[in-house]
Amino acid sequence: MTTENNLSENEEKKISNEVSQEEISDNNVSQHEASQDDDTEQHDEHIDTDITLTDALKEMEKIINTPNAGENFKKFNQLKEKASHYIHDEVEDKKHEYVEGGNAPENFSYEHPSQAKFSALVNIFKEKHDAYQKSQEEEQKKNLEHRQNIIERLKNLYTNSEPGTNLFKSIREIKEDWSTAGQVAKSEFKILNNNYFHHLNQFYQMLDLNKEFLEQEYNHNLEKRQHIIARAKELENEPVIQKALNELQYLHKLWKEEAEPVAEEFREKTWEEFKEISNKIHERKAELSVAIEAEQNANLEKKNQIIAEIKKLSEPAENPNHNYWQNAIKKVEDLRSEFLKTGSVPRKLSNQNWNEFKTTLRGFNTTKNTYYKSLKGSQQTNLEEKLKLIQTAKDNQNNEEWDIAVPLFKKLQEDWKKIGHVPKSMTNKIWDEFRDACNAFFNNFREKSNTSTDNWKENYKNKKALLEELKTVTNEEGSIEKIEAIKTAWNNIGKVPRDKISINSEFNKALREKLKLNKINELELKEDGLSENQLTDKARKIKSQISELESEIVKLENNLSFFKNPSRDNILLKDTFDSIDEKKTHLETLKQNLHNIIAGE
């Protein structure tokens, strides 16, 4: 048996070769790791460009809801930059449209719908990242102390080991413990790692190695190498190239830390075999680059086709009308979403492609806005024409020269239908004015034509009694049915004397108060005795309110979608769920009433 001071010359040579071989392995691992980092960076960039604003915000939210959110700093930052880029571009588009409309740039003000959520996600992640960094520092400090203790155990193993110590078992435990010990700060790692391998080499050089122990160590490490080589061979056929490269990096780490040393006759042979397989796998990186390049070129072609389609929509062959532009707006929005969902393009063409897309979108918006500016001018002219008809109707609503007035009002109604659209904000207002003037005339005409059959004084007496009865209604059970009965009775009573007509206003005022007290909308009342005009008017109002309720429900449900797993159990969302239920109940009632009117029930 050799001792610490009299190792044979042959064994010293073996150990020297073993150490130099380990250094060769170390260098090759470094080269593979550096290459692997490049591959990973390219792969991440390729994925990151493949995302819309909505998906980016969802991914950011998903990250901050993970237990260790702070460790995903790089991915979160990439998503943050992407989302910020989209928001900035869309705000710039709005500003461009605003200025194109003839407004001063300094007066522009616009809050992007996703800005609040974006800012909240960024702030929450910052807090989680700061907490993660602090915990990492504490963890690395513990790991540093643990690794230093491992080195001390290794040092003691070859300097102060007790008689009967199972060296094979002890060195295995130390190496296993070292491979599973956690990360330390980068500033500490190099010195710490060198120190560990220094003492590991000292163990093999200075410890009294008997032949049995040496063979055990060599055989164990050779099995490790053979397992690593076998797995590396399987990776040659791994269809996902990136996965093969990632695992190869891990195998090199195992080789360095757990498969050294082996008998001299196997050292060069096993290393060359492993190195040759590694080189073959790394040659497949070219396949990955080719695949990415082909995909990016296909994406470029698809994005260029989208740009061409938007340009085509911006330049219609014939004079476009309102319907054309409404359809075009929807198509462009779909094309825009498709463009953003399409993956990355070659980097050298990325900015050019993006700028061309934004320029084309702005060109479409400019052409569309120009059309609606001209349309706004014609709508203003139409508005002026309809206002003239309203004034004529008001001037003649009390005209009792029936031979002249009746044909006049029929012509006013025909002319109204012939005049085109007016600004949307004025549509309902001017229609109500025109309709009221026409109704006032024709009601007067019917009243005067039927004076011989109408007992106006008796009608007034009956209406007065109904008004007094309405005033006594409370909000107790059955009150709504009472209101419906009173309203139906009122509808079936004829006209009242002209000097008593104010009773209608009194009744409507009292009715509004009782409806408010009982928390019911007038349009929800079941009532009979309405004239054809009254039924038409009520149906129009119900349709308008149905449309408003549906919009409000969609808006509230969209607001809920911003929360992860929205539930009625969440106290912050309870009022929103209750509001949606209330509006849906109201909506169903209105739909049923509208159905009854249309069906004549």
Side-chain angles (χ1 to χ4, degrees), residues 93 101 215 220 232 246 275 279 327 330-331 479 493 573:
D93 284 346
E215 285 179 357
H220 177 84
N246 290 346
K275 186 169 67 171
N279 290 338
N327 290 331
K330 186 177 183 306
K331 287 178 183 176
S479 294
I493 297 175
L573 303 180

Side-chain angles (χ1 to χ4, degrees), residues 145-235:
E145 186 176 334
H146 179 51
R147 286 185 179 270
Q148 288 171 336
N149 288 336
I150 293 173
I151 292 173
E152 283 302 310
R153 285 165 52 200
L154 175 59
K155 184 178 177 182
N156 288 334
L157 189 61
Y158 70 82
T159 57
N160 298 311
S161 59
E162 297 179 0
T165 300
N166 187 332
L167 299 178
F168 180 76
K169 180 180 178 183
S170 298
I171 194 65
R172 293 267 66 77
E173 290 174 350
I174 287 174
K175 292 176 76 173
E176 178 65 26
D177 201 4
W178 180 266
S179 67
T180 58
Q183 293 182 343
V184 299
K186 288 184 179 180
S187 58
E188 301 280 357
F189 179 75
K190 187 173 182 180
I191 296 175
L192 192 70
N193 204 49
N194 289 343
N195 196 12
Y196 170 75
F197 280 104
H198 165 74
H199 287 291
L200 190 62
N201 289 333
Q202 288 293 100
F203 169 80
Y204 290 125
Q205 290 180 24
M206 300 179 67
L207 188 66
D208 286 340
L209 296 175
N210 57 49
K211 185 176 180 181
E212 181 183 353
F213 172 78
L214 191 61
E215 285 179 357
Q216 276 186 305
E217 181 73 357
Y218 281 174
N219 289 336
H220 177 84
N221 292 342
L222 181 60
E223 286 179 13
K224 281 268 187 181
R225 287 194 174 195
Q226 289 168 342
H227 284 304
I228 291 171
I229 290 170
R231 179 53 189 153
K233 285 181 179 178
E234 292 175 7
L235 292 179

Side-chain angles (χ1 to χ4, degrees), residues 37-51 74-75 78 81-82 242 292 296 299 343-348 350:
D37 288 342
D38 291 341
D39 293 333
T40 304
E41 184 179 345
Q42 287 182 6
H43 188 59
D44 287 346
E45 181 188 339
H46 176 59
I47 292 174
D48 187 48
T49 54
D50 227 357
I51 198 165
K74 183 178 179 182
K75 183 176 180 182
Q78 290 174 333
E81 289 175 12
K82 196 71 178 176
Q242 192 65 52
I292 291 175
Q296 288 180 338
N299 291 339
S344 63
V345 302
R347 179 178 291 185
K348 61 182 180 181
S350 179

Side-chain angles (χ1 to χ4, degrees), residues 33-189:
E33 286 175 348
S35 176
Q36 182 61 46
D37 288 342
D38 291 341
D39 293 333
T40 304
E41 184 179 345
Q42 287 182 6
H43 188 59
D44 287 346
E45 181 188 339
H46 176 59
I47 292 174
D48 187 48
T49 54
D50 227 357
I51 198 165
T52 64
L53 172 59
T54 302
D55 290 339
L57 293 175
K58 285 181 181 177
E59 286 297 314
M60 290 167 69
E61 186 174 1
K62 191 184 294 182
I63 288 174
I64 66 172
N65 286 322
T66 56
N68 294 321
E71 67 183 344
N72 292 311
F73 178 78
K74 183 178 179 182
K75 183 176 180 182
F76 187 89
N77 247 17
Q78 290 174 333
L79 291 166
K80 181 182 77 173
E81 289 175 12
K82 196 71 178 176
S84 177
H85 181 61
Y86 278 136
I87 290 173
H88 175 267
D89 277 346
E90 289 179 24
V91 171
E92 284 298 306
D93 284 346
K94 292 289 183 183
K95 184 175 182 180
H96 179 76
E97 288 184 23
Y98 181 80
V99 174
E100 282 246 322
N103 303 295
E106 58 270 17
N107 295 331
F108 174 74
S109 177
Y110 174 73
E111 176 77 13
H112 193 283
S114 299
Q115 181 63 53
K117 183 174 184 179
F118 172 75
S119 300
L121 292 173
V122 170
N123 289 333
I124 293 171
F125 181 79
K126 184 179 183 303
E127 292 176 3
K128 294 202 170 190
H129 180 64
D130 290 345
Y132 172 76
Q133 288 286 82
K134 185 176 180 181
S135 67
Q136 282 293 98
E137 289 173 4
E138 293 173 357
E139 184 69 23
Q140 288 175 353
K141 188 175 179 182
K142 291 179 183 176
N143 293 339
L144 175 62
E145 186 176 334
H146 179 51
R147 286 185 179 270
Q148 288 171 336
N149 288 336
I150 293 173
I151 292 173
E152 283 302 310
R153 285 165 52 200
L154 175 59
K155 184 178 177 182
N156 288 334
L157 189 61
Y158 70 82
T159 57
N160 298 311
S161 59
E162 297 179 0
T165 300
N166 187 332
L167 299 178
F168 180 76
K169 180 180 178 183
S170 298
I171 194 65
R172 293 267 66 77
E173 290 174 350
I174 287 174
K175 292 176 76 173
E176 178 65 26
D177 201 4
W178 180 266
S179 67
T180 58
Q183 293 182 343
V184 299
K186 288 184 179 180
S187 58
E188 301 280 357
F189 179 75

Side-chain angles (χ1 to χ4, degrees), residues 51-54 83 85-91 93-94 97 110 112 114 303 306-307 309-310 313 328-342 354 357-358 360-362 364-365:
I51 198 165
T52 64
L53 172 59
T54 302
H85 181 61
Y86 278 136
I87 290 173
H88 175 267
D89 277 346
E90 289 179 24
V91 171
D93 284 346
K94 292 289 183 183
E97 288 184 23
Y110 174 73
H112 193 283
S114 299
K303 287 187 173 183
I306 291 172
I307 292 170
E309 288 184 50
I310 296 174
L313 290 170
I329 289 169
K330 186 177 183 306
K331 287 178 183 176
V332 167
E333 186 56 35
D334 291 341
L335 289 169
R336 178 180 177 277
S337 297
E338 189 65 25
F339 185 96
L340 297 177
K341 288 177 184 177
T342 304
W354 176 256
F357 172 66
K358 298 304 293 181
T360 304
L361 268 185
R362 285 177 177 165
F364 172 83
N365 288 329

